[in-house]
Amino acid sequence: MQRQPTALIADDEPLLRDALARQLAEAWPELAIVARVRNGREAVAQCETLRPDICFLDVHMPGMSGVEAAARIGRRSHLVFVTAYDRYAVQAFAQGALDYLVKPVEPARLADTVARLKERHQPTGGAELDALLAQLADRLRAPAAPAPLNWLTAQVGAALRLIPVADIDYLRSDTKYTAVAWRGDDGQPAEALVRTPLKDLLAQLDAAHFVQVHRSVVVNLRAVSHVIRGENETASVHLKRRAESLPVSRNFLHVFRQM
């Protein structure tokens, strides 16, 4: 006598878990749903205990994604991914090594999946499965942050200057430009204007050294001599080799409280 097929559903949305279970009951009445779990960790744990034949895994779940859970479950179950709109998952699973469903699950598409699963009597897997899961996990992983900016280019008179970011003391936004205050080759203070807005420049600088201290000012911490507190939760930054001081507004005073 053939054993009743079993399945697990993993989705962090209870309504979607229940909806898929109802659809499967109609499309495949013999299939027994042995577990409904909220995340990848619970899916892995339940797979260890219940050994379901099929796992329906939501791609994006808190804690452990469906892709990460699938890598741990491996060849012990047939894997069907359920995704809202993830184009990478669709591209990967379209290769046919695994199956996938797009939310909301359409009955006709689910019927195709059920037919395909019924034909599979041996676990799908091997090196091809491992490679596909690793590839998908890489694509879903957040991209690495770009390296901090090392140089700025600024027009100084008729010359285009290359300014080492490490030599910049501070930046101050102007109406249309950003003023760059740095120390030249002779160690003397120099200034130039660049067209890049202060906000865009700040996003490209090394956050370990450059901090915003005012709506219009970003300072290089390596150039700071000392900070003097002012009235109403404000302060002023004094620089090592410059006479001018820079304002610190209340919203950014916490930068120096941590030091």
Side-chain angles (χ1 to χ4, degrees):
M1 182 177 179
Q2 188 173 5
R3 186 176 65 85
Q4 183 182 23
T6 58
L8 170 149
I9 298 175
D11 196 312
D12 60 327
E13 293 289 341
L15 294 178
L16 296 180
R17 288 198 304 267
D18 295 342
L20 181 56
R22 287 195 298 271
Q23 289 181 284
L24 285 169
E26 295 180 3
W28 196 353
E30 299 81 11
L31 182 68
I33 307 299
V34 295
R36 304 181 193 187
V37 300
R38 301 169 297 177
N39 54 54
R41 295 188 189 282
E42 293 181 358
V44 172
Q46 290 298 314
C47 279
E48 294 285 350
T49 303
L50 301 173
R51 303 285 181 178
D53 300 303
I54 305 159
C55 290
F56 293 89
L57 302 173
D58 183 21
V59 171
H60 290 290
M61 291 185 288
M64 179 187 291
S65 71
V67 175
E68 293 169 325
R72 298 197 181 188
I73 295 169
R75 309 166 196 176
R76 289 172 292 179
S77 297
H78 294 296
L79 302 174
V80 178
F81 286 85
V82 186
T83 175
Y85 44 81
D86 193 291
R87 63 185 184 279
Y88 297 123
V90 172
Q91 290 171 0
F93 302 136
Q95 299 175 26
L98 297 173
D99 209 345
Y100 71 93
L101 293 167
V102 176
K103 300 176 183 178
V105 178
E106 297 181 356
R109 182 67 182 85
L110 181 60
D112 291 340
T113 300
V114 168
R116 190 171 298 116
L117 288 168
K118 287 181 176 178
E119 294 175 354
R120 297 181 181 180
H121 300 293
Q122 298 298 325
T124 303
E128 184 181 357
L129 172 60
D130 294 340
L132 183 61
L133 290 175
Q135 181 185 25
L136 183 57
D138 287 343
R139 290 183 176 183
L140 291 173
R141 196 170 293 128
L149 199 64
N150 289 321
W151 300 85
L152 282 184
T153 58
Q155 192 77 33
V156 181
L160 183 65
R161 289 294 304 263
L162 290 176
I163 303 173
V165 167
D167 292 345
I168 295 175
D169 291 330
Y170 66 89
L171 302 107
R172 187 194 296 265
S173 66
D174 202 331
T175 306
K176 297 181 180 179
Y177 304 96
T178 297
V180 181
W182 88 98
R183 283 164 284 108
D185 299 336
D186 56 0
Q188 295 301 310
E191 290 194 8
L193 294 176
V194 296
R195 294 181 179 275
T196 308
L198 181 66
K199 181 178 68 174
D200 295 349
L201 280 176
L202 179 60
Q204 302 175 67
L205 297 174
D206 188 346
H209 299 297
F210 287 88
V211 297
Q212 187 164 16
V213 296
H214 187 275
R215 177 174 52 84
S216 61
V217 179
V218 169
V219 67
N220 184 350
L221 292 174
R222 291 171 293 194
V224 173
S225 168
H226 58 280
V227 179
I228 296 179
R229 284 183 174 276
E231 297 179 350
N232 299 322
E233 292 294 308
T234 62
S236 59
V237 170
H238 295 257
L239 305 169
K240 293 177 181 175
R241 288 179 288 270
R242 287 180 175 272
E244 67 267 38
S245 61
L246 305 173
V248 181
S249 62
R250 179 185 304 176
N251 291 338
F252 298 100
L253 192 59
H254 66 278
V255 172
F256 299 103
R257 288 197 183 107
Q258 300 171 358
M259 296 179 181

